[in-house]
Amino acid sequence: MTGDRLQRLRRWWGDAPHADARVDLTLARAYILDTRDTPFVAAATAAAFWISFAVLTRQAGVFVWAAMVHGMQWHMYHHLHGVDPATFRTADAARWRRRLEWHMLLPGLVWAAAPWLFFPRGDLALILLQYFFISGVASVSIAALAQWWLATLCFGVPLYLSIAVRLMTAGEGGPAVLMGVLALSQLLATLHYARKQNLLIVGAIESGLENARLAEALQTELDRVAQLAAQRARIFAAANHDLRQPMHALAVFIDALEAGRPATAASVRHMQGSIEALRGSVDALLDIAQLDRGAVAVQRAPVDLGELFDALHGRFATAAAAKGLRLRARPTAARVDADAQMLSRLLANLVDNALKYTAQGSVMMAARACVRQGVAGWRIEVRDSGIGIAPEHREQVFEEFFQVDNPGRDRSRGLGLGLALVASMARTLGSRIELRSAPGQGSTFSLWLAAAAPQPVARPAEALPPCAPARILVLDDEAPVREGMRALLEGWGHEVAVVASPGEALALPGRFDLLLSDLRLGEGLSGLAAARTLHGLGKVREVAVVTGETAQADRAQVEAAGFQLLYKPVPSGPLRAAIVRAMGPCREAGIAVAGPSVPDISHHVRTSA
């Protein structure tokens, strides 16, 4: 209990440097500004005091005290005007405040000397006058100095103690002793309420600083929101253009067909190109949204960068040669801990982007050892000798649909989504893309990944038998989708049945290798529930749920059921892979389900610079 009381007393009467140095800085600056004129008021008060007692008592000590008090006030005046509060810094604010407050001890001692230099012995009226004069000066000064607690103690305590001790030891009888006791009790009461005032003032300063911080944070957030709003407006405008252009082209071709113009190989290719353009935009936007909200599961494993570089070199070498560029991959034995498919997509986008913006010279992939925060890793780089990026655009190039030199949104020069997708994938891998570039001097995009532990060499892949035609069931409530899937899958040589409802599926004879079911069926039916029923009854061996929705809850439900999830529009690669999975270990249309240590993921890589 005694320890607790001591702690409370220390908290009440103590005045350590404030936890927030800005409070000390505010108090130190306010001390200079608020007390610079105090010596003039104090000089007038002191003059009234010593002149009155010089006339009434004619003691020589009055003039000694007058010289002391005015000399002290002259010193205080020069001291307060010799300090510039603008030079105070947060780091030394507490020291400055202590130094300023301790200077109040000199005025306190000078005023405390008055009762000892000219005490009106034998005249109770003059003794009472001196007591009220000194106690009044002390009380007013303590109230004025309350926000600087140490200054309050340095000035007020000597004054009250001096007059109290002088009254009790002067031998003037009971009334004088009683006034001395009264002076002590007045000291405690004045300090008690001054401390309350001090805490209120300091609390107000704390609140003001916090409000200023919150206002600044709010303004920063408002600026960020305004910036994001402007950015999103630009993104939506660009997206509107990029999505409408291929849709318009498709509509023109369809109108031409309806008008009786026969379809040609060229028109079919143009229609296919429009479809791929739409798919590219939608897929890239979907990928960015899923990555940014953490909806993509990262499957970490050791990735051999040398093999990955070789695969990317093989993929892009022809495109580089067509532009007269050298595509190089520096040999490396580096292995990193990453998701192989995601890292391959990330680097593929960087290489594709580098080739598009490099007119001559070379593009190189490289990796070098780099330790960060005590963790060994590899810095993976894609360097080019292209046009480079100006400093003011280095952050914007990672925004969706932003292209420095493509204001007209020429689709042949990319979608402007590649680097935004790259930045999202890097964040998902626990890294970030770094950029070094200068106009006309090329660019270097890099990311750091932790090194992977050594891994045993994988055995060579065994030859796999080809797949037989699969029996595939398509469950979708949209007739155009059903017929389109029938035409596609039958064109691949498979046996296909299409139905609009689970009841129709149950009525079909035989068992199917694969069910391709839409997630949302007509009349509020759930494709996932239908798939569970058909799979549970043995009607289908494997299930792939197809959807255009990206909700994390839907993804979690499909994965919990153990089914594959394909997003519309479904590229042919993932669709063929789903068929292969349904048919077991075999090769179908050139897609391997087993193979080398670095998986073939070229069908899943979408580059969009």
Side-chain angles (χ1 to χ4, degrees), residues 51-66:
I51 290 173
S52 299
F53 275 84
V55 172
L56 295 172
T57 65
R58 301 182 184 277
Q59 296 183 28
V62 173
F63 301 99
V64 175
W65 185 83

Side-chain angles (χ1 to χ4, degrees), residues 412-492:
S412 66
R413 303 175 68 180
L415 304 173
L417 292 172
L419 292 181
L421 183 58
V422 162
S424 295
M425 286 190 287
R427 287 191 294 269
T428 303
L429 290 173
S431 183
R432 68 183 184 89
I433 297 295
E434 298 177 1
L435 170 61
R436 300 195 309 274
S437 183
Q441 299 181 20
S443 303
T444 298
F445 291 87
S446 63
L447 76 157
W448 182 90
L449 292 173
Q455 183 177 358
V457 178
R459 293 180 299 175
E462 299 178 359
L464 300 173
C467 286
R471 291 196 78 215
I472 302 174
L473 175 62
V474 177
L475 173 57
D476 198 296
D477 59 323
E478 295 284 344
V481 174
R482 293 196 301 270
E483 295 308 315
M485 291 297 290
R486 184 203 298 273
L488 176 65
L489 297 173
E490 286 181 349
W492 288 352

